[in-house]
C-alpha cells in the first residue's frame, strides 16, 4: 500500500490541522474541562459540517466515500490537539458498526444523523470482565410474546454516553457469555424507562458512563442486523475503531516529541539550553525513533483493514501493542525531560500521557493485544518448523 498522501488527503490533513490550531487551542481545551462537561454540541456539529464524521462511509450509503486512512488522518490531528469530543468512539465506531450491521432505510437514516453531527450515538459494548474479548457479552435480550425485546445487563466505559442521543447496545440473545454466536445490536434511548447512566469523566477529561439496563423494552425496529449473527460486523467495527484510536495516539506521540524538543531548546541551565547536553539529545532521539515505530505499525494496520477475519484482527492487535508501548515511553520521557513540570495541568505533555492511558484500556489493554499477536507469531513459527 502506498502511504504517500494524495493531493486530496493532504488537503484534508491540512484543513484539520488549521482548524485545531485556530479553534481548538490548549487554552480552549482547558476551559472546556474546567467549566464544561467535556463535550461541546456546537463543536460536534462543526465536525459534521467539516465532513469529518463518517468519513469512511461509502457514497452509496450517503457518505463521502473515503477509507479508514482518511479517518486516521483526522484522528491523528485531533490527537495532537487533545480534542475532548470522542471522534473515534462516537464517530468512527458507530458509523463502522451501522455500515456493517444495519441495512436499507434504517442504515441510511442512522448514518445521515451521525454524519451531520446533529445526533450523537455512543456504543455500549464493553463489560467489566471482557478485557478485550469482543464476544464477551453478558447483557441479555429476550424476545417477548408481543414482539418487543427486554434488555438487562451492565455495560462499562461507554465513552460519550452522557452527551449521547442514542445508544447502540450489544446484548446476547443466545449462548454462553463468550460464545461467538448469539449477539445482537439494539438502538436504545438513554432516557427510556429502565435505563440508568452513571456518568463520570475519564482521566483525560473525556465524558463517559456506566450503563445499567433493567427490563428495558425496545421494539423490533430498534434491532440492527440479524439477532445472533452480528459478531463479524462488530469485530470489523472494533478493529477499525482501534486503528483510528492508534492514529489518534500517534498524534499525541508526535506532539509530545515536538513539545519536548522545543522545551529543550528554550530551557537553560548553567547558562546554556539543556538541549545542548548530549545525554538529553540521546533521549529525544530515542523518543523520535519510537514515534517512527508507532507510525510504521499504524501504516501496517491500515493496510490490514483491507483483509478479512482473524488475520486483520491480529495485525490490529500488533498495532495497538506497539503504539501503546511507544506512547508510554514517549510521554513518560517527555514529562521527565520537562523536569517533572510536565505532569502539571498547565503543561500539555502531561495531558498526552493521560490520553495514552485511556487509549490503552479501550478495547483491551496492551498486554491483551501483545499476547494475542504473540500467539499468532508462535503459530506461524510452528507451521514453518513443521
Amino acid at each position: 500500500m502506498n502511504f504517500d498522501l494524495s493531493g486530496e488527503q493532504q488537503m484534508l490533513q491540512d484543513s484539520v490541522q488549521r482548524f485545531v490550531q485556530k479553534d481548538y487551542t490548549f487554552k480552549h481545551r482547558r476551559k472546556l474541562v474546567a467549566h464544561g462537561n467535556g463535550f461541546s454540541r456546537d463543536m460536534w456539529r462543526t465536525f459534521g459540517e467539516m465532513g469529518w464524521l463518517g468519513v469512511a462511509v461509502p457514497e452509496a450509503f450517503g457518505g463521502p466515500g473515503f477509507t479508514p486512512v482518511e479517518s486516521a488522518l483526522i484522528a491523528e490531528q485531533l490527537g495532537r490537539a487533545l480534542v475532548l469530543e470522542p471522534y473515534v468512539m462516537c464517530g468512527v465506531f458507530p458509523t463502522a458498526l451501522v455500515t456493517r450491521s444495519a441495512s436499507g432505510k434504517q442504515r441510511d437514516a442512522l448514518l445521515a444523523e451521525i454524519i451531520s453531527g446533529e445526533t450523537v450515538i455512543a456504543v455500549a459494548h464493553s463489560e467489566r470482565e471482557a478485557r478485550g474479548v469482543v464476544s464477551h457479552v453478558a447483557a441479555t435480550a429476550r424476545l417477548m410474546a408481543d414482539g418487543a425485546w427486554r434488555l438487562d445487563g451492565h455495560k462499562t466505559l461507554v465513552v460519550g454516553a452522557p452527551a449521547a442521543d442514542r445508544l447502540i447496545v450489544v446484548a446476547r440473545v443466545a449462548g454462553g457469555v463468550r460464545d461467538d454466536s448469539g449477539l445482537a445490536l439494539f438502538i436504545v434511548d438513554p432516557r427510556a424507562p429502565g435505563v440508568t447512566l452513571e456518568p463520570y469523566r475519564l482521566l483525560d477529561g473525556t465524558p463517559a458512563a456506566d450503563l445499567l439496563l433493567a427490563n428495558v423494552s425496545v421494539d423490533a425496529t430498534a434491532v440492527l442486523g440479524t439477532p445472533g449473527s452480528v459478531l463479524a460486523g462488530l469485530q470489523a467495527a472494533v478493529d477499525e475503531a482501534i486503528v483510528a484510536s492508534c492514529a489518534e495516539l500517534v498524534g499525541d506521540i508526535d506532539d509530545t516529541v515536538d513539545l519536548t524538543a522545543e522545551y529543550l531548546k528554550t530551557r537553560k541551565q548553567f547558562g546554556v539550553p539543556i538541549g545542548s547536553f548530549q545525554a538529553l539529545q540521546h533521549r529525544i532521539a530515542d523518543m523520535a525513533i519510537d514515534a517512527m515505530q508507532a507510525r510504521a505499525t499504524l501504516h501496517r494496520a491500515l493496510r490490514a483493514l483491507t483483509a478479512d477475519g482473524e488475520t486483520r484482527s491480529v495485525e490490529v492487535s500488533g498495532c495497538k501493542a506497539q503504539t501503546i508501548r511507544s506512547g508510554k515511553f514517549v510521554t513518560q520521557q517527555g514529562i521527565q525531560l520537562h523536569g517533572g513540570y510536565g505532569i502539571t495541568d498547565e503543561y500539555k505533555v502531561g495531558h498526552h500521557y493521560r490520553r495514552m492511558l485511556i487509549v490503552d484500556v479501550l478495547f483491551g489493554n496492551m498486554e491483551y493485544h501483545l499476547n494475542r499477536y504473540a500467539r499468532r507469531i508462535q503459530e506461524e513459527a510452528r507451521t514453518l518448523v513443521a
Side-chain angles (χ1 to χ4, degrees):
M1 181 177 286
N2 179 14
F3 280 99
D4 292 331
L5 298 183
S6 67
E8 197 171 36
Q9 289 171 334
Q10 188 65 59
M11 288 175 61
L12 174 63
Q13 184 183 63
D14 293 344
S15 69
V16 182
Q17 187 177 63
R18 286 194 301 269
F19 175 83
V20 295
Q21 288 174 349
K22 179 178 181 294
D23 296 315
Y24 215 106
T25 63
F26 185 51
K27 182 179 180 180
H28 166 84
R29 183 190 189 277
R30 290 186 65 200
K31 185 181 296 185
L32 190 60
V33 171
H35 305 294
N37 62 1
F39 189 100
S40 167
R41 280 275 180 173
D42 290 340
M43 188 63 67
W44 193 254
R45 292 190 188 96
T46 300
F47 291 174
E49 292 168 2
M50 299 287 283
W52 298 346
L53 303 176
V55 71
V57 174
E59 286 184 280
F61 299 163
F66 290 121
T67 70
V69 174
E70 283 75 19
S71 296
L73 292 174
I74 296 170
E76 180 183 340
Q77 296 305 316
L78 299 184
R80 288 184 69 99
L82 288 163
V83 168
L84 286 166
E85 289 76 12
Y87 170 73
V88 173
M89 300 304 290
C90 292
V92 175
F93 192 19
T95 54
L97 197 52
V98 171
T99 299
R100 289 170 173 81
S101 302
S103 60
K105 293 181 179 179
Q106 181 193 48
R107 175 197 61 213
D108 296 344
L110 285 171
L111 290 177
E113 291 178 359
I114 298 172
I115 292 170
S116 69
E118 293 298 325
T119 299
V120 180
I121 295 183
V123 181
H125 168 251
S126 175
E127 296 189 3
R128 195 176 305 278
E129 300 300 324
R131 294 183 172 86
V133 179
V134 174
S135 62
H136 181 110
V137 176
T140 60
R142 294 169 293 141
L143 182 60
M144 310 305 289
D146 60 359
W149 292 85
R150 297 291 188 273
L151 275 60
D152 293 277
H154 184 197
K155 296 291 184 177
T156 60
L157 202 61
V158 188
V159 179
D165 301 297
R166 300 183 193 177
L167 304 171
I168 298 179
V169 176
V170 185
R172 182 168 292 282
V173 297
V177 172
R178 291 205 172 188
D179 285 355
D180 288 347
S181 61
L183 300 184
L185 302 172
F186 301 89
I187 297 290
V188 175
D189 184 343
R191 295 165 294 277
V195 178
T196 302
L197 287 178
E198 298 178 344
Y200 48 83
R201 295 279 195 91
L202 299 178
L203 185 62
D204 68 337
T206 302
D210 286 354
L211 171 66
L212 299 177
L213 302 166
N215 201 29
V216 177
S217 176
V218 296
D219 60 32
T221 61
V223 180
L224 294 183
T226 303
S229 304
V230 302
L231 180 61
L234 175 60
Q235 181 67 67
V238 166
D239 289 342
E240 190 170 327
I242 290 174
V243 173
S245 66
C246 289
E248 185 178 298
L249 185 52
V250 167
D252 287 283
I253 291 169
D254 280 354
D255 195 48
T256 300
V257 174
D258 291 345
L259 290 169
T260 307
E262 185 62 29
Y263 182 80
L264 295 184
K265 292 176 185 176
T266 56
R267 176 72 166 89
K268 290 186 177 181
Q269 194 170 8
F270 307 116
V272 297
I274 61 176
S276 63
F277 302 154
Q278 190 175 50
L280 300 191
Q281 292 174 5
H282 290 168
R283 290 176 69 175
I284 194 71
D286 288 341
M287 290 168 65
I289 290 170
D290 258 275
M292 288 188 287
Q293 289 178 329
R295 185 173 295 280
T297 193
L298 172 63
H299 290 177
R300 181 168 177 170
L302 285 167
R303 181 179 61 188
L305 287 179
T306 61
D308 292 322
E310 186 70 13
T311 298
R312 177 197 64 229
S313 295
V314 171
E315 288 290 348
V316 168
S317 285
C319 173
K320 175 155 187 180
Q322 178 60 51
T323 52
I324 293 296
R325 194 205 68 82
S326 294
K328 285 183 177 180
F329 175 77
V330 170
T331 55
Q332 288 172 351
Q333 288 293 309
I335 289 170
Q336 289 183 20
L337 290 175
H338 274 76
Y341 292 112
I343 201 64
T344 62
D345 188 65
E346 291 78 9
Y347 281 80
K348 192 178 180 184
V349 63
H351 293 268
H352 283 307
Y353 173 72
R354 296 172 203 171
R355 175 62 61 84
M356 177 276 301
L357 294 176
I358 298 304
V359 174
D360 185 20
V361 301
L362 296 175
F363 304 113
N365 63 15
M366 182 183 73
E367 286 74 18
Y368 166 77
H369 288 283
L370 182 59
N371 289 334
R372 187 185 189 197
Y373 188 70
R375 286 194 296 271
R376 168 54 67 89
I377 298 300
Q378 291 170 346
E379 290 171 3
E380 291 177 351
R382 283 194 292 268
T383 301
L384 289 174
V385 171

